[in-house]
Amino acid sequence: MNLLRYPLIKTLLKNRWPQFTIMLVALAGFLLAVLSGLFGTPVGSRNFGIVFVWIAWWAILMLVAVPFLGRGWCSICPIPAPGEWLQRGKLLGPGEFNHRGHGENQKKGSVFSVVKPLNRRWPKRFRNIWLQNGTFLLVALFSAVILTQPRVTAIVLAAFLFAAVGISLIFERRAFCRYLCPVGGFIGLYSQLAPVEVRVVDTAVCASHVEKTCYTGSVNGYGCPWDVFPPGMVKNTYCGTCMECLRTCPHDNIAINIRPFGADLSVERNRKLDEAYKAFIMLGAAAVYSTVLLGPWGALKLAAYSVGGLPWLAYAASFLTFILLALPGLFWLTVWAGKKISGSALPVKESFVAQSYALVPLGLAAWAAFSLSFVFANFSYVLAALSDPLGWGWDLIGTAGVTWTPWLAGLTPFLQVGVLVGGFIWAAVTSRKIAAEKADSAQAVKLSTPVIVFCLAFTLTLMGLLVA
Amino acid sequence: MKRIVVSWAVLGAAALLVAFAPFNLQPVTSNVERIFRVEAGDFAYSPAVLHVNPGDNVTIKLVATDVVHGLYVDGYDLSVIAEPGQPAVLSFTADRPGTFRLRCSVTCGALHPFMTGKLKVGTNLLLWRGIGLALLAFLGILTLRSPGLPIVH
C-alpha cells in the first residue's frame, strides 16, 4: 500500500517545514544534551544529557523507530543538519537550480557565503560500512564511560556534530551519515526489517527520465543526500527517508509503501561482507552488554569502566575477540557444517554472507530485550531531568522531585522472553528462506539447520543472561 | 494439506500449553527463615544472587561498604537504603516465585544504573516456558511447512 495516495501524508512529506521543524526541535534537544553534559551536574541520573540520550532517545529508537520506521530517525537527526545547511548554503529548499544539488548556491552576504564546500566524492575504497563498523566498535569499547558520565557523553555528541560538519564541507552529500556515523550503521542494517519503504513506482518511468533529478537535484529539491540512486534501490539500508526524491521526481513516481516486516531480507542482491560483519558486531555487542552491564558481576562492570587500565585492556581485548573472531568464526563453522550435511555446491563464503542476514532479526530482538531491561526501570529519571535538565535545583515543570520508581518491573521479563522467542522464529524462517534461494527444498533444510541451531543457542544464552 | 493443518494445530496447542498452563514446579513451601548479609559496594552486591524457596521468610541485612546504597526488589516493589556504618534490614515473605532483579535505588556513582543483583525464588517458570517455546519453534521450523518456506520431505 502506497501511503502517498493519501493527500495529507503526501503534502506533509513533500513540504519541508514539518521535517525542518522537527529537526530544529531535535537539534535544540541535542544542544541541550551537550550543554548539560558540559555544564550540568556530573550525576548521570540527574543530567539531561545522559537521561535523554541513553534512556529516552534510546528507548524510542530501539523499541519503536527502528523496528517500525527503519531510518525514520535519520530523516530528522540533528547531527548532520548544520553541516548540510553549510553545504547547501541554505536552511530549506534549493531555490535556484544547481546541478549537483549541493554547495553551489551561497548567496553573497549570507552567513553561508564564507563557506566554500569542496564537494568531493567520497573515496571509492571506503564506499562500504567498514568504517562505520569501526566507529561503532570504538564507541562500544568506551560505552560504560560514555553511558554514565555526562561530560563524556557531551564530548562524544559534540565530536559527532563537528565530524559531520567537517565531512560535509569536504565531501558531497551526507557522507558522514552514510559512511561514518556509528548509529547510522546499525539503523541501516535493521531498517531492512521495517514495514515501510521508499521505492520508485515504475522503473520504466525512471528509465525514460533523462535528467534523473532524484539523484542530480532540481529546483524542487536536492539530489539524493545519501548518494543512493532511487530507481535502483531494492533495500532500505542506505535510504535515509529524507524525502528529497519525493520532492524532485517530476513524474510522481515515488512511493512510500507499507510492506511485510523484513521484506528486504529476501532480496538476494547487494549482500556484502561489511554488512554481515555489522550483524555480528551488533549481535555480539548485545550479548556483551547484557553480560557486563546487566549481569550481577561487579568486577566486569569495573573493568569496562576503568578505561586505560589493565582490566579494561583485558575487557577490550575480550570484547573485540568475541565480536570480530569468535562469533563470526562459530557462525562460519555452522555454515560449513550446513554445506557438508547438505552437499551444497555453494562456496562457504557466499553462504556465510547470505546466512548472516538471518542474524538481523535476531540482533534487533536481542537489542530490544536488552533495552527493555534498563529503559523502563530508569524511565522515571526522564521526568526529573525534564524539570531540572542541568541538575542545578530548578523545577521548571514541577517534576524535579519525582523519585526513582521502576516502571513495568514485573512485566519486563515476560516481554523479553516474547521478544527473544519472536526474534528466534524470525531468524530461523529467514535462514531457511535464504538457504532455499539456491538449493532444493531438502537441501535448504540441511543447509540452514546448523544456522538455526546457532540462532537457538544464542537466544537461549541471552534468555539466560536477561531472565534467569 | 490436512496433515499440515493438523500439525500446525498440534504445534499451536503445544505452544499455548507451554506458555500458559499452570504448571506447579515449585518446591514444597517450608517457611524457612533465610537471612542474608548483602554487602553493597563498587556497583555490585555480594552475594549478587540470593536463592530462596517460595514461602520462605527472607531477611536481607544490607551493608553499604563505600557510599549510600539502596536495594530495590523488582516484582516485590520493596526497597531499603543503607548508609556506610549503618546497615539496614529488609524483611519479607518470598511469596512470588521467579527471578527478580535487585537494583540500587540510590544514586551511588557513575555505574549506579547498572548496579544489579538477583533474587531467585524457587523455579523460574518463565525461563522454562521461554526455553520450551523456543524449542517448540525450533521443532516446528524443522518439520513443518509454512508459506514461503520450502517443503520438508
Side-chain angles (χ1 to χ4, degrees):
Chain A
M1 182 180 73
N2 181 2
L3 289 178
L4 297 180
R5 286 189 308 183
Y6 300 98
L8 178 64
I9 294 176
K10 190 172 183 177
T11 304
L12 284 173
L13 292 178
K14 261 192 139 172
N15 192 314
R16 291 178 181 281
W17 279 103
Q19 187 181 20
F20 181 72
T21 306
I22 298 171
M23 198 180 266
L24 275 187
V25 172
L27 183 60
F30 180 88
L31 293 176
L32 182 57
V34 173
L35 290 175
S36 62
L38 292 177
F39 305 112
T41 173
V43 180
S45 55
R46 291 287 161 184
N47 187 290
F48 180 89
I50 292 286
V51 171
F52 259 77
V53 174
W54 301 123
I55 297 175
W57 171 77
W58 186 258
I60 293 168
L61 185 76
M62 294 311 284
L63 301 177
V64 182
V66 171
F68 296 100
L69 299 173
R71 277 201 188 266
W73 165 257
C74 297
S75 68
I76 55 147
C77 177
I79 294 174
E84 196 165 57
W85 295 335
L86 288 170
Q87 190 185 57
R88 292 172 171 177
K90 280 195 168 185
L91 293 179
L92 275 174
E96 291 174 20
F97 175 76
N98 64 88
H99 185 68
R100 297 177 74 184
H102 298 277
E104 298 172 7
N105 50 359
Q106 285 93 346
K107 289 181 179 171
K108 283 184 180 176
S110 79
V111 291
F112 301 111
S113 61
V114 292
V115 181
K116 299 290 179 198
L118 299 177
N119 267 322
R120 290 187 179 158
R121 290 282 289 162
W122 185 256
K124 194 172 181 182
R125 63 188 300 193
F126 296 125
R127 283 181 211 159
N128 48 55
I129 62 167
W130 285 114
L131 284 177
Q132 257 174 340
N133 288 344
T135 56
F136 179 86
L137 283 174
L138 195 64
V139 173
L141 281 176
F142 299 95
S143 56
V145 178
I146 296 172
L147 293 176
T148 55
Q149 289 202 14
R151 181 160 291 190
V152 181
T153 281
I155 291 169
V156 170
L157 293 181
F160 284 3
L161 188 69
F162 286 121
V165 170
I167 295 291
S168 294
L169 296 179
I170 298 170
F171 298 101
E172 64 170 1
R173 307 179 197 253
R174 281 195 181 190
F176 174 80
C177 304
R178 173 83 192 254
Y179 301 110
L180 287 174
C181 178
V183 178
F186 72 77
I187 295 181
L189 183 79
Y190 293 140
S191 70
Q192 297 177 83
L193 303 174
V196 62
E197 64 180 16
V198 177
R199 296 288 188 273
V200 297
V201 176
D202 182 358
T203 50
V205 173
C206 303
S208 63
H209 180 220
V210 179
E211 292 84 0
K212 304 286 187 282
T213 46
C214 59
Y215 187 75
T216 58
S218 73
V219 291
N220 296 315
Y222 297 96
C224 179
W226 288 76
D227 203 16
V228 171
F229 183 54
M233 197 163 66
V234 290
K235 292 183 180 182
N236 283 355
T237 316
Y238 304 111
C239 169
T241 61
C242 63
M243 301 299 149
E244 289 300 336
C245 56
L246 176 63
R247 293 166 189 138
T248 52
C249 179
H251 300 295
D252 214 11
N253 196 33
I254 297 292
I256 298 176
N257 298 318
I258 298 294
R259 62 178 197 174
F261 282 92
D264 289 353
L265 299 177
S266 305
V267 179
E268 287 184 54
R269 275 172 57 191
N270 297 336
R271 287 187 183 139
K272 294 179 291 186
L273 189 61
D274 55 340
E275 293 178 7
Y277 251 83
K278 171 59 79 183
F280 288 115
I281 289 169
M282 296 310 295
L283 197 67
V288 171
Y289 287 163
S290 298
T291 308
V292 174
L293 297 178
L294 300 180
W297 305 284
L300 283 179
K301 294 181 216 296
L302 288 176
Y305 187 73
S306 57
V307 172
L310 203 59
W312 180 82
L313 289 174
Y315 162 75
S318 310
F319 181 94
L320 293 176
T321 304
F322 175 67
I323 284 180
L324 297 178
L325 294 176
L327 205 59
L330 195 60
F331 193 75
W332 182 283
L333 282 178
T334 64
V335 173
W336 175 82
K339 178 183 161 67
K340 287 290 173 193
I341 295 167
S342 66
S344 165
L346 276 178
V348 179
K349 186 183 175 187
E350 189 179 328
S351 286
F352 174 81
V353 171
Q355 284 290 339
S356 69
Y357 284 77
L359 305 181
V360 175
L362 194 71
L364 183 62
W367 276 95
F370 163 75
S371 304
L372 283 167
S373 282
F374 68 91
V375 161
F376 289 120
N378 295 306
F379 212 83
S380 55
Y381 287 135
V382 173
L383 298 173
L386 261 182
S387 205
D388 185 16
L390 299 172
W392 284 355
W394 298 349
D395 196 3
L396 301 175
I397 57 171
T399 55
V402 170
T403 52
W404 175 78
T405 313
W407 292 6
L408 305 175
L411 184 63
T412 299
F414 291 90
L415 293 175
Q416 288 173 311
V417 166
V419 164
L420 288 173
V421 172
F424 164 65
I425 294 171
W426 198 352
V429 170
T430 303
S431 171
R432 177 73 70 77
K433 282 182 180 174
I434 289 171
E437 287 167 1
K438 289 180 179 170
D440 64 52
S441 58
Q443 202 175 35
V445 172
K446 292 174 182 170
L447 199 61
S448 62
T449 296
V451 173
I452 296 173
V453 171
F454 175 95
C455 296
L456 177 68
F458 182 87
T459 301
L460 296 182
T461 303
L462 207 63
M463 210 181 279
L465 286 169
L466 295 174
V467 183
Chain B
M1 184 65 190
K2 189 180 172 186
R3 191 172 147 231
I4 291 166
V5 172
V6 171
S7 301
W8 274 107
V10 170
L11 195 68
L16 287 173
L17 191 70
V18 169
F20 300 111
F23 298 116
N24 186 10
L25 301 177
Q26 302 303 336
V28 177
T29 55
S30 51
N31 297 327
V32 172
E33 295 289 333
R34 304 270 187 183
I35 301 171
F36 298 96
R37 175 190 158 91
V38 176
E39 293 192 355
D42 276 345
F43 311 112
Y45 296 107
S46 178
V49 183
L50 311 179
H51 294 270
V52 301
N53 289 322
D56 284 353
N57 296 315
V58 181
T59 300
I60 297 174
K61 183 179 178 185
L62 184 66
V63 180
T65 58
D66 45 16
V67 297
V68 180
H69 288 287
L71 187 147
Y72 174 89
V73 188
D74 272 9
Y76 280 81
D77 196 22
L78 295 168
S79 65
V80 66
I81 293 172
E83 295 179 21
Q86 290 184 304
V89 174
L90 176 68
S91 297
F92 60 98
T93 302
D95 52 4
R96 292 184 188 180
T99 297
F100 305 92
R101 270 186 198 281
L102 309 174
R103 302 176 193 271
C104 183
S105 56
V106 180
T107 302
C108 59
L111 291 174
H112 155 70
F114 302 114
M115 182 171 172
T116 58
K118 286 180 182 179
L119 170 68
K120 296 191 172 189
V121 184
T123 306
N124 187 348
L125 202 52
L126 174 65
L127 177 68
W128 288 108
R129 288 184 198 276
I131 292 170
L133 286 172
L135 290 174
L136 267 179
F138 178 66
L139 194 68
I141 288 159
L142 282 190
T143 56
L144 298 181
R145 177 191 176 184
S146 72
L149 282 182
I151 305 162
V152 178
H153 295 290

